[in-house]
Amino acid sequence: MVKRDCFFAYASIGLLLILSVSCRSTRLLEDGQTLVTKTEITGIDPSLEERAQAYIPVDIRPNSRINLFVYNLANAKKGRYRTENIRNVGEPPHILDSALVDFSTQQINRYLRSKGYFNASVSNDIVTKGKRAHVRFHAIPGQPFTLRNVAVDIADPDLARLYAEQRVALSRIRPGMRYDEDSLVVERERIYHLMRREGYYDYLRQYMRVDVDTALRNNQADLKLIIDNPEGSTGHTPYVIDSSFVTIRHDRRELNRERPLLSNSGGDLYFEDYTGRFRPAPIERYLFHRQGDRYNVVMEDLTYDRLYELNGFRSVKITYDKPDTNRLNVHYELVPRAYMGNQIEGEYTFNSGMSGFNIGNTFTHRNLFGGLEQLEVKLRYGVLFDSRLSGNLFDRVFNNDFQAGVNITVPRLITPFAIPPVGTSGLPRTIFSLNIQAFDQFQTYSNRYFSGTLSYNWNSSRYKQHLLAPLVLEYRYGQLNDEFAQRLISEGFLLYVRSNNRAYFGLGSQYTYTVNSVKLSRLEDFLYFRGALDLSGNLLGLASQAINFRRNEDGEKEVLGVPYLQYAKGEVDLRYYRYLGGDRQLVVRLNPGIAIPYGNNSSLLIFEKSFFGGGMNGMRAWQARTLGPGNYNRKVLDPSLRLNLRNLDQLGEIKLEGNVEYRFKLVNDIFGAKLKAATFADFGNIWRIRENELNPGGEFRFNQFLGQIALGAGAGLRFDLDYFVVRLDAGMKVRDPQFEGSKQWVISELFNSREFKEQYRLTNAPDRYNFIQYNFGIGMPF
């Protein structure tokens, strides 16, 4: 209890110090300057207050105390602010400006009038105390005006008929509603898109205007929507598509051919390829305007989206000309991207005497066969060093992992049977993948893994994505070090040896359903869902009923001389993104999963299909594969097994993980990047389905699992360079389930860490205990 009190005392002292420094921020101001410390608006409907606050310029809103503190720290000189060589960090003080206060008063008044408060009045007063100012805006809105009658006057009878047909679904303006200019803007946009969808290429927003009569009693107004004809015309002209022309050329003239490759498709689609590298058919598939179709802005936008999604064009431009009074020719001007690209990325991690790095290289060819097929060759190498091993640096390699993969993506679905066209909601893709992995751990284990996959990726709507892999071939050969295997057997871990010291063959299918992945980079409120199902061995299991497969000494049926895998694995990733204004965002995530080996593979799940706890995208206070299962504590192992089994004994078939993360911006510009930050809390663990001699206490039980949940908390920095994010997180252990009872709350030992770590070393050597885990990587954690 004393240690906890000390912790909260230190935290309180630190907070008071920050607040006191913030309060002294006025000492740097010149005479006559006043710092705005508070602004408020009184008298208006709470639902309008947030929008009304936006009409107060940032320059006279209160500073963020942290940002002002950073600015003062960087720009204070001899008790005053710098006037030269000002450092662009933090946020400069917001000095009271009476002209801006008066301007804000007028803007708030105009805003209230736009919301139907035509009799509103707004005043202001400023209360100063020393060099601090409190600005108050007082509104007397009066009663809002409501709409008595809503009339429509459309000069063109065809447009009038079209609007009448769509009015119920289209219009949100009704008699009795409060007058609102924003609703009129929305109405104008809806009418504009309706007309552009129905072929009226020349229709402009300016054709719609509004007459409002507020000279009525009882705070009522009459509204008339008017849509005029083009000047000098008796109506609007609907257009149909005549011919289409596609021109492909580099923006650098020297890269183009002198004469283009010409082709014609069906008489109405003409291709000119100055690069000589593209086939017409894959491009034509995603040109949604056809000869004889009415012009439709939706089809135009869809064409833009799909051509960019092909990932082969840097610029797409669509223009029109009029060969006749009601016909349009479409011109597509496409500028290719570089055909080849290369990207290198890496990450570094360290904790508990273990440190290492991962480095990856991705080579991309964006037009492999002339049909915008994309080739990706990925190479990745990771190594983990253990400072407890003797010898030079290379002698201290604890494990290393090499992976190589080749993916070929074709921008359409290649199936043995005809399917309806898909492409209006997203670019469909067929993906052929080959991957190999070679993993070796010091004096313990080696693994060779091969997989080949045929998969289909398509969208059923704008926000719903499907990934179906009907064919997944896998071959894995794992081998334990002979001496290590004998030691495991002598310790009673025969089942573990049998499950990992052999080869396996897999034939299965996978399916993933994702909702709202396109919103992940947006600042708005939404739910994200990803559900994945992985099945293997069922087809072979059915075949074994008709074919007498050979059995090995353990009774497992074999294909191609090795047992085949049989399991079912499911995982869900559910997140709620809450936008809090500015660059502030709250993310809540829940990530459960279960994998069940059965039939021909009913003992332990193999290494590649198991869940693990910890890592930079999950439980960030733990290094990957060092958490769980359950309340398993590695002190039950012989010290030599602890060293050699590391990253191999802490796996499970059940996973439950959750995160809460608050994201915000610190500095707009630091070395060309936006400096953002996050605070987070993580909870979760993994478990074994069955009791296991290797992990005592690691099995899942409904009446125990809540007491085995690990808790971590921390903070991190994100350097946002627009095209990628560099991330540094520090996670601190709060509750560690490897201990028992109240000792799980390891946060209470933070200020007594030396004694705690020494005791842990005595029971768990060569493992070390670290309260804080640092993670460095590229991209957001989720």
Side-chain angles (χ1 to χ4, degrees):
M1 180 65 70
V2 174
K3 294 173 184 175
R4 290 186 185 178
D5 291 342
C6 289
F7 171 74
F8 289 115
Y10 290 146
S12 300
I13 291 170
L15 180 60
L16 288 173
L17 285 174
I18 292 176
L19 291 175
S20 66
V21 171
S22 301
C23 291
R24 296 175 58 212
S25 58
T26 58
R27 64 187 174 83
L28 301 174
L29 298 179
E30 301 287 346
D31 294 338
Q33 290 184 326
T34 308
L35 181 71
V36 178
T37 57
K38 186 176 181 181
T39 60
E40 64 176 329
I41 303 175
T42 61
I44 66 174
D45 191 302
S47 64
L48 303 177
E49 186 172 348
E50 184 176 350
R51 285 284 304 276
Q53 287 279 358
Y55 288 91
I56 303 174
V58 173
D59 292 341
I60 58 169
R61 293 187 208 169
N63 288 94
S64 160
R65 288 188 174 184
I66 294 176
N67 290 345
L68 180 58
F69 169 73
V70 172
Y71 183 88
N72 290 346
L73 198 64
N75 290 289
K77 186 176 182 181
K78 297 180 180 180
R80 289 289 182 264
Y81 283 114
R82 291 172 178 265
T83 56
E84 298 179 349
N85 301 320
I86 298 174
R87 296 166 182 167
N88 186 22
V89 296
E91 184 180 65
H94 295 167
I95 307 300
L96 178 66
D97 184 334
S98 58
L100 284 179
V101 173
D102 291 339
F103 174 75
S104 302
T105 304
Q106 297 172 12
Q107 292 297 102
I108 294 171
N109 187 277
R110 289 176 181 172
Y111 169 69
L112 292 175
R113 291 178 60 85
S114 75
K115 291 297 181 180
Y117 296 91
F118 290 104
N119 297 322
S121 64
V122 182
S123 60
N124 67 73
D125 71 272
I126 302 170
V127 178
T128 59
K129 184 177 181 181
K131 290 190 174 184
R132 298 179 181 84
H134 176 188
V135 182
R136 292 183 291 195
F137 299 92
H138 304 281
I140 304 176
Q143 291 298 314
F145 277 63
T146 56
L147 299 181
R148 186 183 68 172
N149 296 315
V150 178
V152 178
D153 182 8
I154 302 178
D156 187 326
D158 291 334
L159 263 62
R161 189 181 312 110
L162 178 61
Y163 179 80
E165 293 171 355
Q166 300 288 331
R167 184 172 183 176
V168 173
L170 180 75
S171 181
R172 297 294 183 269
I173 299 178
R174 301 282 191 274
M177 68 175 287
R178 174 171 54 83
Y179 174 86
D180 188 344
E181 284 185 7
D182 288 339
S183 298
L184 298 178
V185 172
V186 171
E187 185 79 0
R188 182 174 67 176
E189 284 299 307
R190 287 174 173 158
I191 292 174
Y192 171 75
H193 283 284
L194 171 64
M195 301 310 172
R196 299 270 289 179
R197 287 198 307 267
E198 296 296 327
Y200 294 96
Y201 170 74
D202 283 334
Y203 182 86
L204 303 174
R205 293 176 177 86
Q206 292 85 340
Y207 288 133
M208 175 185 150
R209 54 191 175 89
V210 179
D211 282 348
V212 183
D213 182 4
T214 59
L216 302 173
R217 295 180 179 179
N218 301 323
N219 289 71
Q220 291 185 318
D222 284 345
L223 185 71
K224 178 185 263 190
L225 298 179
I226 303 169
I227 299 180
D228 296 321
N229 285 331
E231 187 176 351
S233 176
T234 59
H236 293 260
T237 302
Y239 285 85
V240 297
I241 303 301
D242 190 354
S243 298
S244 300
F245 302 86
V246 178
T247 302
I248 305 174
R249 71 174 90 217
H250 291 288
D251 52 0
R252 293 171 55 188
R253 185 173 300 177
E254 66 272 17
L255 298 178
N256 294 316
R257 299 163 57 105
E258 290 186 8
R259 295 185 178 181
L261 293 180
L262 302 175
S263 60
N264 173 251
S265 175
D268 65 318
L269 186 58
Y270 303 88
F271 279 83
E272 289 184 334
D273 182 6
Y274 285 87
T275 69
R277 291 177 176 266
F278 294 89
R279 293 184 287 113
I283 299 174
E284 179 185 356
R285 190 176 293 117
Y286 301 109
L287 305 181
F288 292 96
H289 268 143
R290 303 293 183 182
Q291 189 177 47
D293 291 346
R294 271 199 173 195
Y295 168 79
N296 188 335
V297 70
V298 174
M299 295 297 105
E300 178 184 310
D301 292 340
L302 199 56
T303 300
Y304 269 117
D305 291 343
R306 296 302 164 268
L307 291 180
Y308 275 118
E309 282 184 64
L310 287 170
N311 199 34
F313 301 111
R314 184 170 59 83
S315 172
V316 175
K317 184 179 180 182
I318 303 176
T319 58
Y320 301 86
D321 66 50
K322 301 173 183 176
D324 202 348
T325 54
N326 67 335
R327 303 185 75 81
L328 293 174
N329 285 333
V330 193
H331 296 268
Y332 303 92
E333 299 178 30
L334 311 179
V335 178
R337 298 182 64 185
Y339 300 117
M340 291 176 282
N342 200 69
Q343 181 179 351
I344 300 175
E345 56 187 15
E347 61 187 32
Y348 180 77
T349 183
F350 55 94
N351 190 26
S352 303
M354 307 281 277
S355 62
F357 63 86
N358 293 303
I359 186 168
N361 185 87
T362 302
F363 168 80
T364 305
H365 194 300
R366 299 184 178 90
N367 190 33
L368 187 61
F369 304 120
L372 294 153
E373 301 86 0
Q374 181 166 296
L375 167 70
E376 279 189 342
V377 180
K378 297 183 177 182
L379 301 175
R380 179 181 177 274
Y381 177 70
V383 62
L384 190 66
F385 299 96
D386 190 339
S387 61
R388 293 162 290 189
L389 297 175
S390 60
N392 59 37
L393 181 65
F394 293 102
D395 293 329
R396 297 183 179 185
V397 173
F398 183 70
N399 64 40
N400 56 69
D401 184 7
F402 172 77
Q403 298 178 32
V406 178
N407 296 336
I408 296 177
T409 302
V410 181
R412 63 186 179 94
L413 299 184
I414 302 175
T415 59
F417 47 83
I419 58 173
V422 291
T424 56
S425 299
L427 185 72
R429 297 177 175 92
T430 301
I431 306 168
F432 302 91
S433 301
L434 292 175
N435 295 279
I436 60 172
Q437 178 187 26
F439 176 86
D440 294 283
Q441 184 154 305
F442 177 72
Q443 295 183 354
T444 304
Y445 176 74
S446 64
N447 182 51
R448 302 296 179 262
Y449 180 75
F450 167 84
S451 69
T453 306
L454 166 65
S455 58
Y456 302 106
N457 190 331
W458 77 95
N459 289 61
S460 58
S461 73
R462 184 180 179 184
Y463 299 109
K464 298 177 182 178
Q465 186 179 41
H466 306 261
L467 177 61
L468 173 64
L471 180 62
V472 180
L473 288 171
E474 299 175 282
Y475 176 82
R476 173 245 188 197
Y477 177 73
Q479 186 174 22
L480 295 173
N481 175 278
D482 291 339
E483 181 181 343
F484 179 64
Q486 289 301 319
R487 190 179 305 158
L488 284 172
I489 293 172
S490 66
E491 293 283 337
F493 300 138
L494 178 61
L495 180 60
Y496 181 84
V497 174
R498 286 182 174 178
S499 298
N500 290 278
N501 199 24
R502 61 175 60 195
Y504 283 104
F505 173 78
L507 174 63
S509 301
Q510 298 172 354
Y511 174 70
T512 303
Y513 174 61
T514 309
V515 180
N516 285 335
S517 62
V518 297
K519 293 185 177 182
L520 290 177
S521 60
R522 303 179 189 175
L523 291 173
E524 60 180 76
D525 297 345
F526 65 93
L527 277 171
Y528 168 89
F529 173 84
R530 181 180 181 274
L533 182 63
D534 181 1
L535 302 174
S536 183
N538 294 326
L539 188 61
L540 292 174
L542 289 174
S544 68
Q545 304 298 318
I547 303 173
N548 187 21
F549 288 153
R550 179 180 176 273
R551 292 179 180 266
N552 61 19
E553 59 184 10
D554 295 321
E556 296 173 318
K557 300 172 185 178
E558 294 186 338
V559 174
L560 302 177
V562 296
Y564 62 84
L565 295 175
Q566 196 165 9
Y567 66 87
K569 180 179 181 180
E571 186 174 3
V572 169
D573 187 350
L574 180 64
R575 311 173 199 168
Y576 174 61
Y577 290 80
R578 173 71 174 176
Y579 178 49
L580 302 174
D583 284 281
R584 295 175 296 129
Q585 187 180 45
L586 178 69
V587 185
V588 181
R589 175 175 179 253
L590 188 64
N591 179 209
I594 185 170
I596 304 175
Y598 60 91
N600 206 47
N601 184 219
S602 59
S603 54
L604 284 176
L605 199 66
I606 65 169
F607 177 84
E608 291 81 10
K609 302 300 179 182
S610 298
F611 295 111
F612 64 86
M616 62 168 45
N617 297 323
M619 300 294 297
R620 284 164 281 189
W622 281 262
Q623 196 176 40
R625 298 183 176 88
T626 62
L627 172 63
N631 57 10
Y632 165 63
N633 190 315
R634 302 187 80 237
K635 70 180 181 181
V636 301
L637 296 176
D638 181 86
S640 61
L641 289 181
R642 285 190 211 123
L643 176 63
N644 291 329
L645 267 177
R646 188 178 177 96
N647 295 333
L648 297 177
D649 61 326
Q650 295 186 269
L651 303 171
E653 294 85 40
I654 297 176
K655 169 186 178 180
L656 177 61
E657 184 177 284
N659 316 84
V660 179
E661 181 166 300
Y662 173 62
R663 300 169 181 172
F664 54 97
K665 183 172 67 177
L666 288 179
V667 180
N668 254 333
D669 188 3
I670 178 170
F671 305 115
K674 294 178 182 177
L675 179 59
K676 299 181 179 180
T679 58
F680 56 83
D682 306 325
F683 64 90
N685 205 339
I686 58 167
W687 292 267
R688 295 288 191 184
I689 289 181
R690 304 178 183 89
E691 190 173 351
N692 185 296
E693 73 274 7
L694 181 63
N695 308 115
E699 68 276 7
F700 181 88
R701 298 186 186 278
F702 278 104
N703 61 344
Q704 295 179 356
F705 82 97
L706 288 177
Q708 298 171 339
I709 295 292
L711 298 177
L717 297 175
R718 288 93 166 90
F719 295 87
D720 188 350
L721 298 169
D722 290 335
Y723 45 93
F724 70 91
V725 175
V726 179
R727 175 166 56 95
L728 175 64
D729 284 334
M732 181 172 63
K733 296 179 177 68
V734 176
R735 183 189 188 196
D736 192 338
Q738 68 174 302
F739 303 109
E740 296 180 357
S742 61
K743 292 182 179 180
Q744 290 185 346
W745 295 96
V746 293
I747 187 67
S748 64
E749 302 290 344
L750 184 62
F751 296 104
N752 188 35
S753 59
R754 180 176 297 181
E755 181 181 337
F756 180 85
K757 290 179 180 179
E758 178 61 24
Q759 182 62 37
Y760 188 83
R761 188 188 65 80
L762 293 175
T763 58
N764 289 67
D767 290 357
R768 300 177 182 177
Y769 198 87
N770 273 9
F771 287 93
I772 299 177
Q773 166 72 24
Y774 298 97
N775 299 290
F776 175 80
I778 305 296
M780 300 298 282
F782 43 81

